[in-house]
Structure formats: structure tokens, C-alpha cells
Amino acid sequence: MKPRLAENEKENPIIVGLDIGTTKICVTVGRRSGTNKIELLGVGKAESSGVNRGVVANIQKTVSSIREAVTIAESQSNVDIKVVNVGIAGQHIKSIQHRGILTKRDYDEVGRLDVEQLISDMYKLVLPPGEEIIHVLPQEFTIDNEPGIKEPIGMAGRRVEANFHIISGRVTDIRNIKRCVDNADLEVSSLVLEPLASSEAVLDEEEKTAGVVLVDIGGGTTDVAIFHEGIIRHTAVIPLGGNIVTEDIKQGCSVLRNQAEQLKVRYGSALADENKDNEVICVPGIRGREAKEISVKNLAYIIQARMEEIIEHVYYEIKSSGYEDRLIAGIVITGGGAQLKHLVQLVEYITGIGCRIGYPNEYLSKTEMLNKQALEELKSPMYATSIGLLIKGVQAMEEDEATQQEMVSKRVSKEKVTEIAEEKRKKESWFTKILSDFIKDDTGIDDDTFIGKK
């Protein structure tokens, strides 16, 4: 019999994360525990067959996998899942820097609503056709010409300026993800860039302040996020991941794909020189054919060549960010690809920067809902994004509560709050909105249908 959930669900509401990856779809259910960590209540995992390099390629297959993962998570957690925080990645993700200015009427203190107003203004930026904003991340503030302020709330001033890191993505890919979630009878609470979620699970504030690069090597993509002085400075998504390594092994060793995956996981190494020359693996033949012998060292050469390419892409992003010489905490690798043997040594050799593997177990508390084996599995780097989505969901809920308290204390009008919230949620350009409304009113064609035919 499953233990019953605690009665304090209002104090510690349940959060659900949905990681739609290239190799797996993972649903995690949890809540903030009393120790300020995440208490996991349930986990559901299903094979992902409808996603290619972080982008939905087959909606029906993706929906089926989401439903399978949700069913498993619901049975473990005894929770009816309706609202989820969804991770997003893919080569279409871009980032830009922009500056916003807010002039207040009086010299009173800067509040959360002022910051929210600056953020909502960023959503009005004109982007290239077919793109929309996913995240607006404040960096540094300037209050009455006093620069370098990281936390402006509570400070007195009239003119508030802020630098923002703005992350955008392709409209069609974002809508395909939302459509998959909708078709699985779920509601999207928020879209979270996957490297940002992973960073919450494997990095601490000390590393972010010192300067650190997070590298999340997934099945289809490698996500990069650079932090310095506690602020996100650069993000990128590289369209190469663990799956392409498997394809290389399949071609180079002339084996089946599932055999190539097993070779990579069991015997794979990112450094060929670390393997013995006489070590050989025997792979069964197909339908009665003779078994094939594969040298472990040759296997490592195939893997090393592709991993060098991925790391070179990462190193290019580090150099182009301008923070190469300010990364005191070095590089943290996470994701399923981080489990490859000798990867840390290869990264340090190519980049000359210190490196470690990032595990998401630091922010997990003990729970009675999961058995010991399941909890140990979740400490693997491949679950960093899934755990990070829970943490981001908890953070967003806490920020919303703080904003509501400020609204009550300052007696802000409901109309003003609605205006800010709508601008923040607004993802379409005014022209697209007017055009879709016109078509819907004039012809009766649904907006999604029109966009799908376009």
C-alpha cells in the first residue's frame, strides 16, 4: 500500500516536470521539502521515438510516449497530473542581449512589479518572422545611474535600467511541443530552456558566481549555459549528441543500432589511449551468421572522434561568449552523455579548463514514495533536466506568491496586474494576432488549422 500524501499540499504544492528528450520522455512529480530540497513523489519514463534533435518530428508518437510516462508517474505518486513544466531545446534556440528602461513617478522603492513591468516590455521586441520569445532573464540593473546592481528590489530610485538575456525559439517548434502536451490532455504551466533547468539541478550559487560552463550532453543536442557573477551570460544549443555517436559506431563497426548503443554504454570510452590493444568484444551475428569481434580501442577511436567534434563546438561557444578567462569553476558536464568514460580528461585536454561531472542528487531529499533503486537511478546525470524542471517550477511558484503579496500590500489595481501578466504571456506579434483573429471571424477557420496549412 502506498503512503498517503501529506496534508500540507497548499504549503508545499505538487510540481510536475516533463522532459521531452530525443531518447527518453521523463515525467517527474515532486514538491519542496522542509529542508529546502526537492522531495520526489514519482517518476515515469518512456522511450522517445517522435523527437529528433530536440524537435518534435512525429506528434502522434510523442503524445503516446508522454501518456505512457504520465501513467507510470501517476501510479507511483498517487497524483492526478494535469499541469506540467515542459523543457525545450533544439537548434532553433537563439539568444540576444537587450536593455530596458523604466521611469517611475516618484523616488519610492523598486518592487517586484517594476521588474515585472521591465520584463513584460521585453516581450514587445520585434523578432525575425517565425520566432517568439521563450525567456527574458534579467542580468544587471542600473538605478539612477548607479550600475552593477544585481538585486534591485527594495532600493530607492526613479529611473531603473536593466540588461536582459533574451532567449527565443521557432514558433512552429514551440507550438508542436504545446500541441503534443495538449493532445496528451495536459496543460503547459511554463516552457523552460533545458540548460537552464539542468543548471538548477547540478550547479550551486558559488559556482555561478565564480564563473562556470554547464554542458548538458543529451541524445540529440548538447546544451551550453555560461554563468558569471551569478548571472546567465550565454546560452547555445548544439545539434549533436549521444545519438550521433551511436550512429557512428553502427556505421564504423557494421552492427545493428541497438548493438551499437550497448557497445557505447558498456565499453565506450572518450579516450582511445586509455584502452588496451588486445581487448576484444564479441558481438552476436544476425540470424545465424558468425559473431563479429570488435576491438575496444577501435571502438574508442570512433567515439573519441565524434566527442572531440562536440567539445570543439562547446569550446567555440565559450570563446565567442567572451568569458573564457573568467571561468574559475570551469566546466560541469551533465546529461546522459556525461556517463561516457574518460570524458572529463578529454574535455580538459581540448579546452584546458578544469572539468567535473554534474549529478542532480544534491537537491534531492529522502522520500518514502520511491524505492532505493529508483532513487539511486535518479541521481544519474541523465536526469539533471528532469530534476531541474521541478526546481524551476518551485521557484516560479515562490516568485508568483511574492508578487501577489506585494500587490496586496501596495493595493495595485487588478487591471494593472492583468496588463503586466498578459504582456508577459504574449508570444505572438500584433500583426499575427490581428491576422489570425480576422481569418477566424471572416471564414470560420481555426487559428491552429490556418497555421498548420500555411
Side-chain angles (χ1 to χ4, degrees):
M1 183 176 177
K2 294 184 180 186
R4 294 187 63 187
L5 296 176
E7 299 295 331
N8 60 344
E9 288 186 13
K10 289 186 178 179
E11 295 179 9
N12 292 317
I14 292 171
I15 307 293
V16 181
L18 172 59
D19 177 15
I20 304 176
T22 305
T23 55
K24 74 177 189 311
I25 289 178
C26 184
V27 175
T28 46
V29 184
R31 61 187 171 199
R32 178 78 80 184
S33 69
T35 57
N36 226 19
K37 292 187 176 184
I38 296 296
E39 179 189 358
L40 276 171
L41 304 177
V43 180
K45 186 175 70 169
E47 184 181 349
S48 177
S49 55
V51 181
N52 182 28
R53 293 187 176 179
V55 175
V56 175
N58 188 309
I59 287 181
Q60 289 183 343
K61 288 183 178 179
T62 305
V63 170
S64 177
S65 298
I66 292 173
R67 284 177 173 164
E68 182 183 344
V70 167
T71 301
I72 297 170
E74 285 181 334
S75 64
Q76 280 192 10
S77 62
N78 203 18
V79 172
D80 188 18
I81 297 174
K82 294 296 182 185
V83 182
V84 292
N85 296 283
V86 185
I88 185 170
Q91 191 180 6
H92 62 98
I93 299 295
K94 297 178 182 177
S95 62
I96 59 172
Q97 307 288 331
H98 202 75
R99 190 170 181 84
I101 301 172
L102 174 67
T103 303
K104 304 171 62 167
R105 293 182 180 179
D106 303 311
Y107 285 92
D108 56 351
E109 68 178 35
V110 178
R112 289 186 180 274
L113 286 176
D114 297 317
V115 176
E116 290 291 334
Q117 181 66 61
L118 280 165
I119 292 172
S120 67
D121 289 343
M122 291 298 104
Y123 282 100
K124 300 175 185 177
L125 286 177
V126 178
L127 296 178
E131 291 185 18
E132 71 177 44
I133 293 173
I134 300 172
H135 288 295
V136 175
L137 306 172
Q139 294 184 311
E140 294 170 322
F141 291 83
T142 300
I143 299 178
D144 290 345
N145 298 321
E146 182 65 34
I149 298 171
K150 296 176 187 175
E151 185 52 67
I153 296 173
M155 299 190 67
R158 186 177 180 188
R159 181 182 172 90
V160 183
E161 303 172 54
N163 294 326
F164 291 97
H165 185 77
I166 298 170
I167 299 169
S168 64
R170 200 160 49 212
V171 173
T172 52
D173 293 322
I174 294 170
R175 290 200 176 185
N176 282 338
I177 286 179
K178 290 181 176 178
R179 188 165 295 174
C180 289
V181 177
D182 289 341
N183 291 353
D185 301 320
L186 301 171
E187 181 184 340
V188 178
S189 173
S190 64
L191 276 177
V192 181
L193 186 67
E194 291 187 358
L196 295 181
S198 301
S199 69
E200 294 295 334
V202 301
L203 301 179
D204 59 21
E205 290 303 319
E206 190 176 36
E207 286 178 311
K208 291 180 182 179
T209 302
V212 67
V213 182
L214 176 80
V215 181
D216 187 342
I217 306 175
T221 61
T222 297
D223 307 328
V224 181
I226 299 176
F227 295 84
H228 186 257
E229 295 293 337
I231 298 167
I232 182 78
R233 302 291 184 176
H234 184 77
T235 52
V237 178
I238 300 164
L240 300 172
N243 281 3
I244 199 167
V245 177
T246 304
E247 287 296 323
D248 288 348
I249 297 171
K250 174 188 169 185
Q251 296 294 330
C253 298
S254 299
V255 294
L256 297 175
R257 195 185 188 286
N258 63 335
Q259 292 175 332
E261 181 67 22
Q262 289 177 18
L263 287 171
K264 181 184 73 174
V265 173
R266 292 184 183 180
Y267 308 101
S269 169
L271 277 178
D273 292 340
E274 294 290 330
N275 296 275
K276 298 177 182 178
D277 294 326
N278 58 353
E279 196 173 353
V280 174
I281 311 159
C282 188
V283 178
I286 304 171
R287 291 184 65 85
R289 291 175 176 84
E290 290 186 4
K292 183 177 292 186
E293 290 187 348
I294 296 171
S295 166
V296 173
K297 193 157 192 171
N298 288 340
L299 175 66
Y301 275 123
I302 294 170
I303 296 172
Q304 182 177 340
R306 183 61 76 177
M307 293 310 300
E308 283 179 352
E309 182 186 2
I310 293 174
I311 296 166
E312 289 287 355
H313 279 288
V314 171
Y315 193 34
Y316 171 79
E317 294 294 341
I318 293 172
K319 289 188 286 188
S320 63
S321 71
Y323 286 88
E324 182 183 0
D325 299 327
R326 288 180 273 183
L327 302 173
I328 298 173
I331 297 173
V332 177
I333 307 176
T334 192
Q339 300 173 100
L340 198 60
K341 286 185 289 186
H342 307 119
L343 182 58
V344 169
Q345 294 94 313
L346 182 64
V347 171
E348 291 179 343
Y349 174 75
I350 293 175
T351 64
I353 302 171
C355 179
R356 74 169 178 88
I357 304 295
Y359 298 94
N361 57 343
E362 182 180 346
Y363 298 98
L364 294 179
S365 65
K366 293 182 179 179
T367 176
E368 298 177 358
M369 291 287 179
L370 299 176
N371 58 45
K372 187 176 180 180
Q373 183 180 353
L375 198 58
E376 284 299 319
E377 184 185 359
L378 285 166
K379 294 178 181 179
S380 166
M382 68 187 297
Y383 290 101
T385 300
S386 304
I387 303 301
L389 288 170
L390 289 181
I391 298 173
K392 293 293 285 186
V394 170
Q395 290 176 349
M397 191 163 289
E398 290 174 349
E399 289 174 4
D400 289 344
E401 288 174 359
T403 304
Q404 290 174 7
Q405 290 175 2
E406 183 177 317
M407 290 183 325
V408 172
S409 63
K410 290 190 174 183
R411 297 180 182 178
V412 180
S413 67
K414 189 177 287 187
E415 290 77 12
K416 180 63 177 176
V417 174
T418 304
E419 179 189 342
I420 294 174
E422 285 299 322
E423 287 295 342
K424 194 174 178 182
R425 284 195 297 265
K426 188 177 178 183
K427 300 291 186 181
E428 298 178 353
S429 68
W430 63 272
F431 179 75
T432 306
K433 183 67 176 172
I434 291 173
L435 183 62
S436 61
D437 288 345
F438 170 76
I439 292 168
K440 190 173 181 180
D441 293 340
D442 194 45
T443 65
I445 299 175
D446 182 70
D447 183 39
D448 287 340
T449 307
F450 173 74
I451 291 170
K453 287 183 178 180
K454 188 173 176 179

Short mmCIF file of all heavy atoms in Angstrom, two decimals, residues 117-154:
data_model
loop_
_atom_site.label_atom_id
_atom_site.label_comp_id
_atom_site.label_asym_id
_atom_site.label_seq_id
_atom_site.Cartn_x
_atom_site.Cartn_y
_atom_site.Cartn_z
N GLN A 117 7.33 44.72 -14.91
CA GLN A 117 6.99 45.66 -15.99
C GLN A 117 8.11 45.73 -17.02
O GLN A 117 7.88 45.72 -18.23
CB GLN A 117 6.73 47.05 -15.40
CG GLN A 117 6.35 48.12 -16.44
CD GLN A 117 5.03 47.83 -17.10
OE1 GLN A 117 4.00 47.78 -16.44
NE2 GLN A 117 5.04 47.63 -18.41
N LEU A 118 9.37 45.78 -16.53
CA LEU A 118 10.52 45.78 -17.43
C LEU A 118 10.58 44.49 -18.26
O LEU A 118 10.85 44.53 -19.46
CB LEU A 118 11.82 45.93 -16.63
CG LEU A 118 12.20 47.34 -16.18
CD1 LEU A 118 13.28 47.29 -15.10
CD2 LEU A 118 12.68 48.17 -17.37
N ILE A 119 10.31 43.37 -17.60
CA ILE A 119 10.33 42.08 -18.30
C ILE A 119 9.23 42.01 -19.35
O ILE A 119 9.46 41.59 -20.49
CB ILE A 119 10.19 40.92 -17.30
CG1 ILE A 119 11.44 40.82 -16.42
CG2 ILE A 119 9.95 39.59 -18.02
CD1 ILE A 119 11.34 39.83 -15.28
N SER A 120 8.02 42.46 -18.99
CA SER A 120 6.90 42.42 -19.94
C SER A 120 7.16 43.31 -21.14
O SER A 120 6.73 43.00 -22.26
CB SER A 120 5.60 42.83 -19.25
OG SER A 120 5.63 44.19 -18.87
N ASP A 121 7.90 44.42 -20.94
CA ASP A 121 8.25 45.29 -22.07
C ASP A 121 9.15 44.57 -23.08
O ASP A 121 9.10 44.87 -24.28
CB ASP A 121 8.96 46.56 -21.57
CG ASP A 121 8.00 47.51 -20.85
OD1 ASP A 121 6.77 47.35 -21.01
OD2 ASP A 121 8.48 48.39 -20.12
N MET A 122 9.99 43.65 -22.57
CA MET A 122 10.90 42.93 -23.47
C MET A 122 10.13 42.01 -24.42
O MET A 122 10.60 41.74 -25.53
CB MET A 122 11.90 42.10 -22.65
CG MET A 122 12.92 42.91 -21.87
SD MET A 122 14.00 43.93 -22.91
CE MET A 122 13.27 45.54 -22.62
N TYR A 123 8.95 41.54 -23.99
CA TYR A 123 8.16 40.67 -24.85
C TYR A 123 7.58 41.42 -26.05
O TYR A 123 7.03 40.81 -26.97
CB TYR A 123 7.04 40.01 -24.06
CG TYR A 123 7.51 38.85 -23.21
CD1 TYR A 123 7.74 39.00 -21.85
CD2 TYR A 123 7.72 37.60 -23.78
CE1 TYR A 123 8.18 37.93 -21.08
CE2 TYR A 123 8.16 36.53 -23.01
CZ TYR A 123 8.38 36.71 -21.66
OH TYR A 123 8.82 35.65 -20.90
N LYS A 124 7.69 42.75 -26.04
CA LYS A 124 7.20 43.55 -27.17
C LYS A 124 8.25 43.73 -28.26
O LYS A 124 7.99 44.37 -29.27
CB LYS A 124 6.76 44.93 -26.66
CG LYS A 124 5.64 44.88 -25.63
CD LYS A 124 5.34 46.26 -25.09
CE LYS A 124 4.31 46.20 -23.97
NZ LYS A 124 4.05 47.54 -23.37
N LEU A 125 9.46 43.18 -28.03
CA LEU A 125 10.52 43.31 -29.03
C LEU A 125 10.10 42.68 -30.35
O LEU A 125 9.42 41.65 -30.38
CB LEU A 125 11.80 42.63 -28.55
CG LEU A 125 12.60 43.34 -27.45
CD1 LEU A 125 13.80 42.47 -27.07
CD2 LEU A 125 13.10 44.69 -27.95
N VAL A 126 10.51 43.29 -31.44
CA VAL A 126 10.23 42.75 -32.77
C VAL A 126 11.34 41.76 -33.14
O VAL A 126 12.51 42.12 -33.21
CB VAL A 126 10.16 43.88 -33.82
CG1 VAL A 126 9.92 43.29 -35.21
CG2 VAL A 126 9.07 44.87 -33.47
N LEU A 127 10.96 40.52 -33.35
CA LEU A 127 11.90 39.46 -33.71
C LEU A 127 11.76 39.11 -35.19
O LEU A 127 10.76 39.48 -35.83
CB LEU A 127 11.64 38.22 -32.86
CG LEU A 127 11.84 38.34 -31.35
CD1 LEU A 127 11.48 37.02 -30.68
CD2 LEU A 127 13.26 38.73 -31.01
N PRO A 128 12.73 38.39 -35.74
CA PRO A 128 12.58 37.93 -37.13
C PRO A 128 11.32 37.09 -37.29
O PRO A 128 10.86 36.47 -36.33
CB PRO A 128 13.84 37.08 -37.35
CG PRO A 128 14.84 37.62 -36.37
CD PRO A 128 14.04 38.06 -35.18
N PRO A 129 10.72 37.08 -38.48
CA PRO A 129 9.48 36.32 -38.70
C PRO A 129 9.65 34.85 -38.32
O PRO A 129 10.67 34.23 -38.60
CB PRO A 129 9.25 36.46 -40.21
CG PRO A 129 9.97 37.70 -40.60
CD PRO A 129 11.17 37.79 -39.69
N GLY A 130 8.63 34.31 -37.65
CA GLY A 130 8.65 32.91 -37.28
C GLY A 130 9.33 32.61 -35.97
O GLY A 130 9.50 31.44 -35.62
N GLU A 131 9.71 33.64 -35.19
CA GLU A 131 10.36 33.43 -33.90
C GLU A 131 9.54 34.08 -32.79
O GLU A 131 8.84 35.07 -33.03
CB GLU A 131 11.78 34.01 -33.88
CG GLU A 131 12.75 33.25 -34.77
CD GLU A 131 14.17 33.77 -34.63
OE1 GLU A 131 14.45 34.46 -33.62
OE2 GLU A 131 15.00 33.50 -35.51
N GLU A 132 9.64 33.52 -31.59
CA GLU A 132 8.98 34.12 -30.44
C GLU A 132 9.85 33.95 -29.21
O GLU A 132 10.73 33.08 -29.15
CB GLU A 132 7.61 33.53 -30.20
CG GLU A 132 7.58 32.12 -29.68
CD GLU A 132 6.17 31.63 -29.40
OE1 GLU A 132 5.26 31.86 -30.21
OE2 GLU A 132 5.99 31.01 -28.35
N ILE A 133 9.62 34.80 -28.22
CA ILE A 133 10.44 34.82 -27.01
C ILE A 133 9.99 33.72 -26.05
O ILE A 133 8.80 33.54 -25.78
CB ILE A 133 10.35 36.21 -26.34
CG1 ILE A 133 11.01 37.27 -27.23
CG2 ILE A 133 11.04 36.19 -24.97
CD1 ILE A 133 10.83 38.69 -26.75
N ILE A 134 10.98 32.98 -25.52
CA ILE A 134 10.72 31.93 -24.54
C ILE A 134 11.03 32.43 -23.13
O ILE A 134 10.25 32.25 -22.21
CB ILE A 134 11.57 30.68 -24.84
CG1 ILE A 134 11.24 30.14 -26.22
CG2 ILE A 134 11.35 29.60 -23.78
CD1 ILE A 134 12.17 29.03 -26.69
N HIS A 135 12.20 33.07 -22.96
CA HIS A 135 12.63 33.57 -21.66
C HIS A 135 13.15 34.99 -21.77
O HIS A 135 13.80 35.35 -22.76
CB HIS A 135 13.77 32.71 -21.08
CG HIS A 135 13.36 31.36 -20.61
ND1 HIS A 135 12.50 31.16 -19.56
CD2 HIS A 135 13.70 30.13 -21.04
CE1 HIS A 135 12.33 29.87 -19.38
NE2 HIS A 135 13.05 29.22 -20.28
N VAL A 136 12.87 35.79 -20.74
CA VAL A 136 13.51 37.10 -20.56
C VAL A 136 14.19 37.05 -19.20
O VAL A 136 13.53 37.04 -18.16
CB VAL A 136 12.48 38.24 -20.62
CG1 VAL A 136 13.16 39.56 -20.29
CG2 VAL A 136 11.83 38.32 -21.99
N LEU A 137 15.51 37.00 -19.20
CA LEU A 137 16.28 36.80 -17.96
C LEU A 137 17.02 38.08 -17.59
O LEU A 137 17.93 38.51 -18.31
CB LEU A 137 17.29 35.67 -18.15
CG LEU A 137 16.70 34.33 -18.63
CD1 LEU A 137 17.80 33.36 -18.97
CD2 LEU A 137 15.76 33.76 -17.59
N PRO A 138 16.64 38.73 -16.48
CA PRO A 138 17.35 39.94 -16.04
C PRO A 138 18.80 39.61 -15.67
O PRO A 138 19.08 38.57 -15.09
CB PRO A 138 16.56 40.39 -14.81
CG PRO A 138 15.26 39.66 -14.86
CD PRO A 138 15.54 38.37 -15.57
N GLN A 139 19.70 40.53 -16.02
CA GLN A 139 21.11 40.36 -15.68
C GLN A 139 21.53 41.37 -14.62
O GLN A 139 21.53 41.08 -13.44
CB GLN A 139 21.97 40.47 -16.94
CG GLN A 139 21.73 39.34 -17.92
CD GLN A 139 22.65 39.39 -19.11
OE1 GLN A 139 22.81 40.43 -19.74
NE2 GLN A 139 23.26 38.27 -19.45
N GLU A 140 21.86 42.58 -15.03
CA GLU A 140 22.28 43.62 -14.08
C GLU A 140 21.38 44.84 -14.23
O GLU A 140 20.91 45.15 -15.31
CB GLU A 140 23.74 44.00 -14.34
CG GLU A 140 24.71 42.88 -14.04
CD GLU A 140 26.11 43.18 -14.52
OE1 GLU A 140 26.25 43.77 -15.60
OE2 GLU A 140 27.07 42.84 -13.82
N PHE A 141 21.16 45.53 -13.11
CA PHE A 141 20.30 46.71 -13.09
C PHE A 141 21.13 47.97 -12.83
O PHE A 141 22.19 47.92 -12.19
CB PHE A 141 19.24 46.57 -11.99
CG PHE A 141 18.21 45.51 -12.27
CD1 PHE A 141 18.47 44.17 -11.98
CD2 PHE A 141 16.99 45.83 -12.84
CE1 PHE A 141 17.54 43.18 -12.22
CE2 PHE A 141 16.04 44.85 -13.09
CZ PHE A 141 16.32 43.53 -12.77
N THR A 142 20.61 49.07 -13.33
CA THR A 142 21.17 50.39 -13.04
C THR A 142 20.05 51.26 -12.50
O THR A 142 19.02 51.43 -13.17
CB THR A 142 21.76 51.03 -14.31
OG1 THR A 142 22.80 50.19 -14.83
CG2 THR A 142 22.33 52.41 -14.01
N ILE A 143 20.22 51.77 -11.28
CA ILE A 143 19.19 52.62 -10.66
C ILE A 143 19.75 54.03 -10.47
O ILE A 143 20.73 54.22 -9.74
CB ILE A 143 18.74 52.04 -9.31
CG1 ILE A 143 18.14 50.64 -9.52
CG2 ILE A 143 17.72 52.96 -8.63
CD1 ILE A 143 17.70 49.96 -8.24
N ASP A 144 19.14 55.00 -11.16
CA ASP A 144 19.59 56.41 -11.11
C ASP A 144 21.10 56.50 -11.35
O ASP A 144 21.85 57.08 -10.54
CB ASP A 144 19.21 57.04 -9.76
CG ASP A 144 17.70 57.23 -9.64
OD1 ASP A 144 17.01 57.14 -10.66
OD2 ASP A 144 17.23 57.43 -8.51
N ASN A 145 21.54 55.88 -12.46
CA ASN A 145 22.93 55.91 -12.92
C ASN A 145 23.90 55.17 -11.99
O ASN A 145 25.12 55.36 -12.09
CB ASN A 145 23.42 57.35 -13.11
CG ASN A 145 22.60 58.08 -14.18
OD1 ASN A 145 22.25 57.48 -15.20
ND2 ASN A 145 22.29 59.34 -13.93
N GLU A 146 23.40 54.35 -11.08
CA GLU A 146 24.25 53.52 -10.24
C GLU A 146 24.25 52.10 -10.82
O GLU A 146 23.29 51.35 -10.65
CB GLU A 146 23.74 53.50 -8.81
CG GLU A 146 24.58 52.69 -7.83
CD GLU A 146 25.97 53.28 -7.62
OE1 GLU A 146 26.10 54.53 -7.66
OE2 GLU A 146 26.91 52.51 -7.45
N PRO A 147 25.33 51.68 -11.51
CA PRO A 147 25.32 50.41 -12.23
C PRO A 147 25.70 49.22 -11.34
O PRO A 147 26.08 49.38 -10.18
CB PRO A 147 26.38 50.63 -13.32
CG PRO A 147 27.37 51.55 -12.66
CD PRO A 147 26.59 52.43 -11.73
N GLY A 148 25.59 48.03 -11.93
CA GLY A 148 26.07 46.81 -11.29
C GLY A 148 25.21 46.28 -10.17
O GLY A 148 25.69 45.55 -9.31
N ILE A 149 23.93 46.63 -10.14
CA ILE A 149 23.03 46.17 -9.07
C ILE A 149 22.38 44.86 -9.52
O ILE A 149 21.73 44.79 -10.56
CB ILE A 149 21.96 47.23 -8.77
CG1 ILE A 149 22.62 48.52 -8.27
CG2 ILE A 149 20.95 46.70 -7.74
CD1 ILE A 149 21.68 49.69 -8.14
N LYS A 150 22.56 43.81 -8.73
CA LYS A 150 22.00 42.51 -9.08
C LYS A 150 20.59 42.31 -8.52
O LYS A 150 19.77 41.65 -9.13
CB LYS A 150 22.92 41.40 -8.56
CG LYS A 150 24.29 41.40 -9.20
CD LYS A 150 25.16 40.34 -8.57
CE LYS A 150 26.60 40.46 -9.09
NZ LYS A 150 27.50 39.52 -8.40
N GLU A 151 20.33 42.86 -7.35
CA GLU A 151 19.02 42.70 -6.72
C GLU A 151 18.44 44.09 -6.44
O GLU A 151 18.73 44.71 -5.42
CB GLU A 151 19.16 41.91 -5.42
CG GLU A 151 17.84 41.59 -4.73
CD GLU A 151 16.85 40.94 -5.66
OE1 GLU A 151 17.08 39.80 -6.11
OE2 GLU A 151 15.83 41.60 -5.96
N PRO A 152 17.61 44.61 -7.35
CA PRO A 152 17.11 45.99 -7.21
C PRO A 152 15.93 46.14 -6.26
O PRO A 152 15.63 47.26 -5.83
CB PRO A 152 16.69 46.33 -8.64
CG PRO A 152 16.23 45.03 -9.20
CD PRO A 152 17.12 43.97 -8.57
N ILE A 153 15.26 45.04 -5.94
CA ILE A 153 14.02 45.13 -5.14
C ILE A 153 14.33 45.67 -3.75
O ILE A 153 15.20 45.15 -3.04
CB ILE A 153 13.34 43.75 -5.06
CG1 ILE A 153 12.90 43.31 -6.46
CG2 ILE A 153 12.16 43.79 -4.11
CD1 ILE A 153 12.39 41.90 -6.53
N GLY A 154 13.61 46.74 -3.38
CA GLY A 154 13.80 47.37 -2.08
C GLY A 154 14.65 48.62 -2.13
O GLY A 154 14.65 49.41 -1.18
#
